[in-house]
Amino acid sequence: MVKPGKGIFPKRDEFILQSIMFFFLALACIELSGVLLDRSNSWRWSRIVISLLLFDRIHVVYTYVMLLRVPEFRGWMREWGGGSERIAQAKILGVLLAVFFFFFKLPAALAPLVAPATTTSLQIIFFIAFADFHANSQFYGVARLYEKKIPGAVVPRAFKLNRFCFIMIFLLTFTSLVSRQFFPSDRIILATTIFGLLISAFIIGSSFFRCRENASLQPIYLIRVALLPLRTISAFAGLGVAALHPLEYVYLEKKMRSRSIASNSRELSWLFAGAALFAMITAIPLRSNFGPELRAIFPDYKSLISALGALGSALSVGHFWLDGIIFRMRDEKTKKWIAPLVLDEEPRREMETPSFRPIAIPTRAENTAREVA
């Protein structure tokens, strides 16, 4: 039996995340049983809750704030740009502009050749694929961080098998989500959900087997993997993924800022608060239930509302893409700049900040002592 205690977040944060996970799993089970909840209403209410809380929008902008203001992220960006932050920023801006054009101008540009409805469907599929793969990748990546608590307990073959299982869950859930969106088929959705749950059970079970003699919270963490296939048939499972994914990111961002050389910067706190406000502004037109209604209520501002929605989509896709690059722990740039902020076991090392001054990354104990003082 796994003994609780070793997690990658402080105990309070671990407790909050695991409580939210079990809460949404319970709601999903109640919804699917049909005992207390009407499934037709649960989908509508879950969309409203997501739109009001904007959980999954706020964390998107944090990626860009960290790249611009956190010294370690700027150091990573400078190396990624071949020694120049401006080159890296130009790359990011180019991708954002291309995605913005894809969401804002593509239907009109292809109108003579393709029906706007078809182009919109392609845009939705593109966004769902990126978002779904991103959510799966984050769950897998965070699970790997827990494995740092059990060194030597996982062989390379287990790494490859787990990665294969997560890829299979992505393919199954993506197929179900696209099927439910465009060509509803109960058989496809049910079959992919069952296979997804079987793979989830294997991931969780194998983790319990590997960690049975170690005090790691990884098996408890991996229970949330069951939410991924369940969200194709349960609105509350989808809401659970939409809540857990950004909360994990925010907690991880909080941990990285606390270990950064700029951990006491008041400017950073104001910047992150401003980022949250900006995310809210761009998120409202992006919502499927708010966007069309806003355009109908304010017909004179259709272009502005569509532009804000396209901006929100571009920022989201850019966030998906950047996270896949920044947190690739096998990359030397990530090992040098980002890993010391994420992994407690990373040794203190001398680094150069973007101003080219050698600065020592403080340890967690040093940060705690400084806060107490």
Side-chain angles (χ1 to χ4, degrees):
M1 184 64 182
V2 177
K3 299 177 182 179
K6 288 188 178 180
I8 62 172
F9 301 111
K11 288 186 178 180
R12 182 187 63 181
D13 297 345
E14 290 277 355
F15 176 77
I16 291 173
L17 288 171
Q18 311 310 358
S19 299
I20 292 173
M21 173 190 68
F22 284 113
F23 174 72
F24 281 109
L25 275 173
L27 279 182
C29 293
I30 294 173
E31 176 194 2
L32 293 175
S33 68
V35 176
L36 299 176
L37 298 172
D38 181 2
R39 289 188 61 196
S40 61
N41 286 329
S42 63
W43 288 98
R44 180 170 63 89
W45 280 107
S46 68
R47 286 197 299 269
I48 292 174
V49 170
I50 294 175
S51 298
L52 292 176
L53 295 180
L54 303 174
F55 275 146
D56 55 340
R57 295 299 101 201
I58 293 174
H59 83 290
V60 165
V61 186
Y62 281 3
T63 298
Y64 304 99
V65 177
M66 287 192 290
L67 282 172
L68 290 173
R69 303 306 304 170
V70 176
E72 292 83 359
F73 277 77
R74 291 182 61 194
W76 176 92
M77 187 166 59
R78 188 181 68 240
E79 288 197 22
W80 183 56
S84 171
E85 284 186 60
R86 293 190 180 278
I87 293 177
Q89 291 167 358
K91 288 182 184 179
I92 296 170
L93 183 60
V95 170
L96 291 179
L97 288 174
V99 178
F100 177 81
F101 174 83
F102 176 78
F103 282 104
F104 185 48
K105 290 293 186 181
L106 191 64
L110 297 181
L113 303 174
V114 182
T118 303
T119 309
T120 302
S121 298
L122 291 174
Q123 291 173 326
I124 294 174
I125 291 175
F126 172 78
F127 190 86
I128 290 176
F130 253 105
D132 198 37
F133 184 77
H134 175 66
N136 277 263
S137 298
Q138 180 172 303
F139 281 174
Y140 172 72
V142 175
R144 289 292 303 273
L145 294 181
Y146 280 89
E147 289 172 355
K148 294 291 183 179
K149 300 293 182 180
I150 46 172
V154 185
V155 296
R157 184 179 300 175
F159 288 153
K160 295 180 180 179
L161 184 60
N162 257 8
R163 184 165 54 194
F164 173 77
C165 289
F166 270 89
I167 291 173
M168 287 301 300
I169 288 179
F170 160 69
L171 293 175
L172 290 168
T173 53
F174 174 67
T175 301
S176 294
L177 290 169
V178 171
S179 174
R180 183 165 58 82
Q181 184 86 23
F182 299 106
F183 43 92
S185 170
D186 291 339
R187 290 184 178 181
I188 293 177
I189 293 174
L190 183 61
T192 53
T193 301
I194 291 174
F195 278 115
L197 286 173
L198 290 174
I199 296 174
S200 300
F202 172 79
I203 292 175
I204 298 167
S206 63
S207 179
F208 267 103
F209 178 77
R210 292 198 307 269
C211 304
R212 66 187 185 278
E213 296 178 356
N214 299 273
S216 170
L217 287 176
Q218 188 198 49
I220 305 298
Y221 171 84
L222 281 172
I223 292 175
R224 73 195 60 204
V225 179
L227 288 171
L228 293 171
L230 274 179
R231 64 181 166 154
T232 61
I233 57 174
S234 166
F236 286 106
L239 183 57
V241 174
L244 284 169
H245 171 77
L247 281 175
E248 280 180 5
Y249 193 88
V250 169
Y251 279 133
L252 192 61
E253 171 270 324
K254 173 186 170 185
K255 177 178 180 178
M256 289 188 292
R257 272 200 293 160
S258 71
R259 293 174 60 82
S260 169
I261 59 176
S263 59
N264 284 342
S265 173
R266 184 171 297 179
E267 176 195 7
L268 277 182
S269 300
W270 282 107
L271 280 169
F272 277 89
L277 178 62
F278 176 77
M280 293 179 186
I281 295 172
T282 60
I284 293 176
L286 178 62
R287 290 298 169 203
S288 57
N289 55 332
F290 280 174
E293 293 176 8
L294 285 174
R295 284 191 287 269
I297 296 172
F298 305 103
D300 295 336
Y301 298 95
K302 281 184 178 181
S303 296
L304 177 60
I305 294 170
S306 298
L308 285 174
L311 176 61
S313 299
L315 290 173
S316 296
V317 173
H319 159 74
F320 304 155
W321 168 62
L322 284 169
D323 271 15
I325 302 173
I326 294 172
F327 295 102
R328 191 180 295 161
M329 291 297 177
R330 290 172 294 178
D331 185 76
E332 290 301 321
K333 295 184 294 296
T334 300
K335 286 181 180 179
K336 176 182 177 182
W337 293 101
I338 309 301
L341 304 182
V342 177
L343 304 176
D344 295 334
E345 291 82 3
E346 282 292 320
R348 177 191 176 109
R349 64 180 68 183
E350 296 289 328
M351 292 186 178
E352 288 184 349
T353 65
S355 60
F356 300 98
R357 289 177 302 159
I359 300 274
I361 301 297
T363 64
R364 185 173 181 177
E366 289 172 337
N367 275 325
T368 304
R370 184 171 54 191
E371 290 174 3
V372 171

